[in-house]
Amino acid sequence: MNKFPKEFYWGGSIAAHQCEGAWQEGGKGPGIMDYCTSGSYEIARRFTKKIEEGILYPSHEAIDFYHHYKEDIALFAQMGFTALRISIDWSRIYPKGDEDKPNQEGLNYYKDIIQTLIKYHIEPIVTLFHFEMPIHLVRKYNSWLNRDLIDFYLKYVKTVVTEYKGLVKYWVTFNEMNHIDPQTEASDFFVYMLSGLTYKELPGDKKKALAIIGYNMTLAGVKAAKLIRKIDKNNIVGCVFGIHPIYPRDCNPVNIMNAFKEMDRDYYQIDAMCNGKFPLYKLKEYDDFGIHLEISEEDSKAFAEGRIDFIGMNYYQTGVAKTGEDNEDDEKLFGGVQNPFLKQSKWGWAIDPIGLRYLLNYTYRKYEIPIMITENGIGAVDNMENGIIHDDYRIEYLQKHLSEMKKAILEDHVECIGYLMWGPIDLVSATTGEMKKRYGFIYVDKHDDGSGDLSRYKKDSFYWYKHIIETQGEDL
Ligand code: BGP
């Protein structure tokens, strides 16, 4: 058999703050990403305390999915999508986060999206936290440094999961919380996207603050998993991790060990969510740093009862481990050490299709639970002429990645249940805030200076993906 299994989910993945816009409509409160300016490859996005006049904040309009979702979902249906991963923006449901009652308009808005998907037989896969939370929870409560956040999050989760009972089966508790580990040199940007706090703002010992944020989010994740299944036993709960496998520089055992450690650090939360307990090795590592985390009996119970049902994997690139010594190469190049065997995207991300097969095998063998590729794709500059976009580079990237994923499934027997391409419609780049870093099968007339009439156009890759889905990947 040369086809993907019939029940395999084919689709895409989008996130509210990168596509919705309408930041002050429908009763939405201000969220952390609404204070994030646009940037570029060279200039980092800024997080401002107030909305500064004359400055572009990409989330405010984005691609205006808020007013275009019916049209956009119809286009996804034309490609034959059987799944779409969306995120719910917490600040549309609880504008401040600590209210007693939710905002009904926000609940209605997502309900209509979900029902539109179901109408087209597209399975909604709903992420509950994709860098979206009310800014009020950061300013008043100090974000995830405060355990109260877990209760606010659970209240929000309970509200939406109850509201969409029977409509949504697949839930994702968090997107990419693994970027907040104290030992992974969490970038300022990811610290902000996950907590609404900048690295500088973290009080006291920064490593300790990151450990606490990571722990509280992990605990919130397992508590949510239990709650979501309690609301409906048919619910299937996952968490999404953004992992880029790390290769050793060479076969020097020292470098092998460095690579192992660098990559393994990204797995402690998956361990916590799959093994039913917060990993002891992590607690001991924290101890070595002078960080003492107490795990109460109640917390241990939550880990034991909150295992996830599937792992979501966001895969874009692989990396090469630093040598751990003063090495010019480690510092010299953007994005760390470059792999001489791989080409990079315009944004410096190493293109490595085999890395996807490796990641799937590596992760599946550790936990033996289903994996869904929840993001994968290439950000590229597209040129449109007379409404036509020839994006053969995107087709080539996807073709190669999908064919490695196919080998993982059909030859290596990895239980991979779906492929959700990142940004099936052009949207705002999370790391740079740009529009010109485009991922989509569908082009959106929106540009980095905020101009554009928001019209949608089908790229060549639109027809290519449609064919792949139609033929269940036979030609890959
Ligand atoms: C992941 C995020 C997405 C998405 C993607 C691509 O880390 O989960 O939100 O944006 O990366 O990154 P970028 O948009 O910066 O190219």
Side-chain angles (χ1 to χ4, degrees):
M1 212 201 45
N2 191 29
K3 288 183 176 180
F4 281 71
K6 252 206 152 78
E7 57 287 354
F8 188 79
Y9 287 117
W10 291 101
S13 211
I14 56 178
H17 74 278
Q18 289 168 266
C19 69
E20 285 180 351
W23 77 295
Q24 287 177 312
E25 283 180 60
K28 181 187 176 310
I32 57 174
M33 294 307 285
D34 294 327
Y35 293 86
C36 195
T37 68
S38 63
S40 68
Y41 182 60
E42 293 82 16
I43 302 166
R45 301 184 78 175
R46 286 187 302 121
F47 326 107
T48 62
K49 290 285 164 223
K50 291 202 173 100
I51 301 301
E52 295 174 3
E53 226 170 284
I55 296 293
L56 195 73
Y57 293 87
S59 73
H60 293 189
E61 185 185 55
I63 58 158
D64 197 27
F65 181 76
Y66 190 83
H67 296 109
H68 288 74
Y69 65 87
K70 284 198 201 289
E71 171 195 344
D72 294 341
I73 292 171
L75 288 167
F76 298 148
Q78 274 184 36
M79 275 185 277
F81 276 26
T82 55
L84 183 75
R85 174 175 169 240
I86 57 166
S87 73
I88 291 185
D89 188 329
W90 187 348
S91 61
R92 282 198 189 280
I93 308 301
Y94 286 99
K96 289 168 83 181
D98 58 358
E99 304 89 335
D100 290 334
K101 287 218 167 86
N103 166 37
Q104 194 55 44
E105 224 179 321
L107 287 169
N108 295 348
Y109 159 67
Y110 289 111
K111 187 175 226 160
D112 199 48
I113 294 184
I114 291 164
Q115 285 175 328
T116 309
L117 290 170
I118 293 171
K119 184 177 97 186
Y120 288 111
H121 308 288
I122 299 175
E123 185 78 47
I125 295 170
V126 178
T127 303
L128 294 154
F129 183 105
H130 193 129
F131 314 144
E132 292 123 1
M133 66 190 282
I135 194 85
H136 178 74
L137 292 180
V138 181
R139 297 194 175 153
K140 180 156 181 204
Y141 300 93
N142 229 0
S143 187
W144 294 101
L145 283 164
N146 183 340
R147 267 180 83 114
D148 287 353
L149 256 282
I150 300 178
D151 294 328
F152 292 131
Y153 172 76
L154 292 174
K155 182 179 64 173
Y156 150 69
V157 170
K158 188 174 176 194
T159 302
V160 295
V161 177
T162 308
E163 181 81 10
Y164 308 133
K165 186 173 170 176
L167 297 173
V168 175
K169 183 167 70 175
Y170 285 96
W171 296 96
V172 169
T173 53
F174 285 92
N175 182 66
E176 296 196 354
M177 64 156 81
N178 58 292
H179 293 308
I180 203 137
D181 182 49
Q183 286 168 270
T184 325
E185 292 176 22
S187 71
D188 196 21
F189 194 67
F190 273 107
V191 175
Y192 183 84
M193 290 208 291
L194 288 160
S195 70
L197 295 163
T198 60
Y199 189 79
K200 261 204 212 133
E201 282 167 345
L202 297 175
D205 178 347
K206 310 271 184 223
K207 275 182 189 282
K208 184 166 184 185
L210 290 173
I212 292 170
I213 291 174
Y215 179 79
N216 285 343
M217 291 181 90
T218 311
L219 185 59
V222 291
K223 287 191 169 200
K226 183 181 171 193
L227 172 66
I228 295 168
R229 283 188 294 257
K230 194 174 153 210
I231 294 169
D232 186 342
K233 64 176 177 8
N234 296 316
N235 280 336
I236 300 172
V237 189
C239 189
V240 163
F241 302 90
I243 309 279
H244 66 274
I246 302 292
Y247 299 148
R249 178 175 298 209
D250 53 33
C251 54
N252 179 342
V254 174
N255 291 336
I256 304 282
M257 203 55 216
N258 285 339
F260 169 79
K261 283 197 165 167
E262 228 179 275
M263 176 157 162
D264 196 58
R265 275 171 208 155
D266 263 335
Y267 274 85
Y268 83 95
Q269 290 153 328
I270 317 184
D271 288 346
M273 292 183 191
C274 292
N275 298 343
K277 63 183 179 64
F278 195 82
L280 205 58
Y281 69 81
K282 201 69 197 172
L283 290 175
K284 296 213 160 147
E285 273 175 27
Y286 286 166
D287 271 345
D288 295 343
F289 281 113
I291 302 168
H292 307 292
L293 285 188
E294 286 299 325
I295 301 206
S296 65
E297 247 178 61
E298 192 209 319
D299 287 7
S300 302
K301 197 162 169 264
F303 285 110
E305 295 173 346
R307 286 182 168 88
I308 49 174
D309 304 309
F310 74 96
I311 298 170
M313 278 279 156
N314 293 350
Y315 173 78
Y316 291 92
Q317 57 175 325
T318 51
V320 178
K322 292 183 181 167
T323 53
E325 293 157 16
D326 280 343
N327 186 321
E328 259 188 31
D329 286 354
D330 287 358
E331 311 302 332
K332 200 165 61 186
L333 297 156
F334 180 81
V337 187
Q338 305 287 304
N339 187 330
F341 299 98
L342 303 175
K343 290 199 178 112
Q344 275 85 37
S345 78
K346 269 212 161 64
W347 278 263
W349 294 15
I351 301 171
D352 183 5
I354 295 176
L356 175 57
R357 182 177 181 184
Y358 170 63
L359 176 69
L360 279 165
N361 273 281
Y362 181 90
T363 308
Y364 184 65
R365 277 159 169 68
K366 268 165 93 82
Y367 310 105
E368 277 201 310
I369 64 169
I371 299 177
M372 193 183 291
I373 296 300
T374 37
E375 289 182 27
N376 173 240
I378 183 163
V381 176
D382 290 329
N383 293 310
M384 181 168 75
E385 268 178 51
N386 305 321
I388 294 171
I389 305 106
H390 297 304
D391 57 342
D392 44 308
Y393 37 89
R394 182 167 294 109
I395 295 174
E396 186 191 340
Y397 177 99
L398 295 172
Q399 167 92 29
K400 287 189 174 153
H401 282 74
L402 283 171
S403 101
E404 290 301 324
M405 183 182 71
K406 185 177 180 178
K407 287 182 203 158
I409 297 172
L410 299 184
E411 293 176 33
D412 310 333
H413 312 291
V414 172
E415 200 184 343
C416 174
I417 58 173
Y419 177 84
L420 309 177
M421 181 267 205
W422 171 253
I425 182 163
D426 293 346
L427 34 66
V428 175
S429 154
T431 52
T432 67
E434 291 167 298
M435 268 312 297
K436 83 162 184 270
K437 189 180 187 190
R438 295 175 184 272
Y439 283 86
F441 300 121
I442 301 161
Y443 182 92
V444 179
D445 184 32
K446 176 81 196 270
H447 307 280
D448 285 343
D449 58 2
S451 66
D453 69 6
L454 298 168
S455 302
R456 276 59 171 154
Y457 300 86
K458 296 171 191 172
K459 304 180 193 175
D460 286 358
S461 56
F462 181 99
Y463 303 98
W464 172 83
Y465 197 46
K466 181 177 192 300
H467 174 76
I468 296 295
I469 298 175
E470 237 162 37
T471 51
Q472 284 174 248
E474 198 169 12
D475 295 338
L476 288 166

